[in-house]
Amino acid sequence: MAVDGGRIHSAIVLQGGGALGAYECGVLQALYESRPDFRPVVVTGISSGALNAAVLGGAKDDPVSALTKLWRNRLTVSAPFLTWLPSLVDRYLSVLGNPGMYRLNPQLAFAPWRAASIYDTAPLGRTLADLVDTDKLNAEHPRVVVGAINVASGEMEYFDRDVGPRGLTIDHVIASGSLPPGFPMADLDSHPYWDGGLFSNLPLAPAINALEEAADGDRSAIRELIVVELFPMTAPVPRNLLEVQQRMVQLQYTSRLRLDEEFFDKIGRFADMVAQVDDLLAQAEGQFPRARELRDETYQQLLEHRRIDHFSVVTSTLRPDLSLAVDFSRSTIDERIRTGHEDAVKQGIGQIDSPGLRPGETGG
């Protein structure tokens, strides 16, 4: 198989999950460590996955360092002068607010009957402004795509550099993580948006679309999909109330799509079949002029599909005590990052066996 410039065209897909986004930080650390000069074509994210996507694609300095700073320094919640607090209390400190992400809605004190959210997300805007360069956020590589749901229409919408005259903004990223009733609706061009995870927590479609466009659609180019699953499809049957709660959230926000070799083989066979049919039609045009008429708009859309040559799905193995999405305590954040890194290594995040690939050459 021919390899375009000896490179793989990679897409990263990040689920949302509140404080569980720290796990994705660990996965991405392992990915970039295992592949020097790695540069994806596209990074898509929902909610906290959108935060990670924005920092990864638009970091003012090294993206992995910026991600680590986001989770270890900006989004952790701790009480340094209250070290005597029990760990269980420490895990729920974020209920009072998170200095790098959200604060209690002042309206609750003065006019609670008019409040539409418990918190406001002004601190998150400042955090992202400190870490993200909006010009880099809208650069060609990687393309950053975030998803949010239009509250009025109920439709899922994806935003990237082509979204409008200003392109992708920090406001779009915040909209992707505006989970009610905790966070307020985000106003984008006079349209209200909530967290995209309410509709779909796996932004797979825009990632595949970007991969199909990579290398100007060259069929011989190698394409790779990397997915981080914060909410596994399969898990042990719960045995206590804590595990019941964890499994209920998993099922609510899981991808609802089994990402395995069989699934991508089907996509690959379909794309190869359409290409073969097109070759046969081209050969038949000399004898059957009407063969050209079969190539209508729908047929042309089918021709745009491309094979996904390699995929990696890193599935979270976080323990129940690390799976509370509102737990931003420092010890838990650190443990999630460590677990994400370990899972990524164990599950083969750095392994590429595509034909024709020269070791260490990956990217957009």
Side-chain angles (χ1 to χ4, degrees):
M1 179 183 294
V3 181
D4 178 38
R7 305 174 75 175
I8 291 180
H9 300 268
S10 304
I12 300 174
V13 180
L14 303 172
Q15 286 188 331
L20 305 187
Y23 176 91
E24 293 174 335
C25 175
V27 172
L28 293 169
Q29 285 177 351
L31 173 62
Y32 278 71
E33 288 172 6
S34 66
R35 305 194 196 179
D37 302 320
F38 178 78
R39 185 179 57 156
V41 170
V42 60
V43 184
T44 67
I46 297 291
S47 194
S48 59
L51 302 186
N52 288 333
V55 173
L56 191 67
K60 292 180 178 179
D61 47 26
D62 176 69
V64 177
S65 296
L67 270 176
T68 304
K69 182 178 180 180
L70 173 71
W71 287 102
R72 291 191 189 275
N73 299 342
R74 301 301 294 267
L75 299 186
T76 54
V77 176
S78 61
F81 301 110
L82 300 175
T83 56
W84 50 267
L85 282 175
S87 60
L88 183 61
V89 175
D90 195 40
R91 293 172 61 191
Y92 286 93
L93 278 177
S94 61
V95 172
L96 301 177
N98 184 322
M101 193 173 187
Y102 55 87
R103 63 189 179 190
L104 287 171
N105 183 357
Q107 198 173 36
L108 290 174
F110 302 105
W113 57 90
R114 299 184 59 185
S117 67
I118 300 171
Y119 308 99
D120 77 50
T121 50
L124 180 58
R126 292 192 292 270
T127 294
L128 291 175
D130 288 343
L131 297 175
V132 174
D133 181 331
T134 53
D135 289 334
K136 292 180 68 175
L137 187 64
N138 287 279
E140 183 177 0
H141 287 133
R143 176 186 289 257
V144 177
V145 185
V146 301
I149 185 170
N150 187 308
V151 179
S153 69
E155 295 182 358
M156 185 73 175
E157 298 182 25
Y158 291 105
F159 308 110
D160 63 9
R161 61 176 182 251
D162 297 327
V163 68
R166 293 192 301 153
L168 187 64
T169 68
I170 287 174
D171 288 339
H172 291 104
V173 179
I174 293 175
S176 181
S178 295
L179 183 66
F183 298 157
M185 288 179 283
D187 187 292
L188 300 176
D189 297 324
S190 299
H191 296 287
Y193 290 89
W194 270 337
D195 191 307
L198 292 171
F199 186 90
S200 173
N201 202 33
L202 186 74
L204 190 63
I208 291 179
N209 290 341
L211 280 183
E212 291 179 333
E213 296 171 2
D216 295 324
D218 181 8
R219 290 187 178 277
S220 67
I222 292 180
R223 294 171 170 84
E224 173 195 33
L225 186 65
I226 299 170
V227 179
V228 182
E229 278 195 312
L230 293 177
F231 301 99
M233 283 281 290
T234 60
V237 176
R239 296 168 297 178
N240 55 52
L241 286 177
L242 178 61
E243 293 179 1
V244 166
Q245 176 68 21
Q246 179 194 19
R247 187 58 180 151
M248 184 184 72
V249 173
Q250 283 179 340
L251 293 175
Q252 184 177 0
Y253 290 104
T254 190
S255 65
R256 300 179 181 88
L257 180 65
R258 187 175 298 280
L259 301 173
D260 56 19
E261 187 173 355
E262 182 180 356
F263 173 80
F264 286 101
D265 278 348
K266 286 181 180 179
I267 293 178
R269 290 196 300 269
F270 173 80
D272 290 344
M273 181 197 69
V274 174
Q276 292 170 7
V277 169
D278 192 56
D279 290 340
L280 291 174
L281 286 176
Q283 297 171 19
E285 284 183 2
Q287 298 178 351
F288 305 100
R290 293 195 63 185
R292 185 185 300 272
E293 298 177 10
L294 297 175
R295 297 177 175 179
D296 61 8
E297 182 179 352
T298 301
Y299 179 78
Q300 294 299 329
Q301 291 175 352
L302 292 176
L303 280 176
E304 294 176 0
H305 292 295
R306 297 292 181 267
R307 167 181 286 277
I308 304 298
D309 301 285
H310 184 85
F311 71 97
S312 297
V313 181
V314 178
T315 301
S316 170
T317 65
L318 288 172
R319 306 188 310 266
D321 61 304
L322 298 176
S323 298
L324 184 64
V326 298
D327 180 3
F328 287 87
S329 62
R330 184 170 302 279
S331 60
T332 304
I333 291 292
D334 288 346
E335 186 66 14
R336 289 192 188 112
I337 293 174
R338 186 192 64 78
T339 303
H341 189 283
E342 288 185 354
D343 282 354
V345 173
K346 290 177 181 178
Q347 297 177 34
I349 193 69
Q351 297 176 5
I352 295 293
D353 54 7
S354 298
L357 177 68
R358 296 196 292 271
E361 293 188 330
T362 61

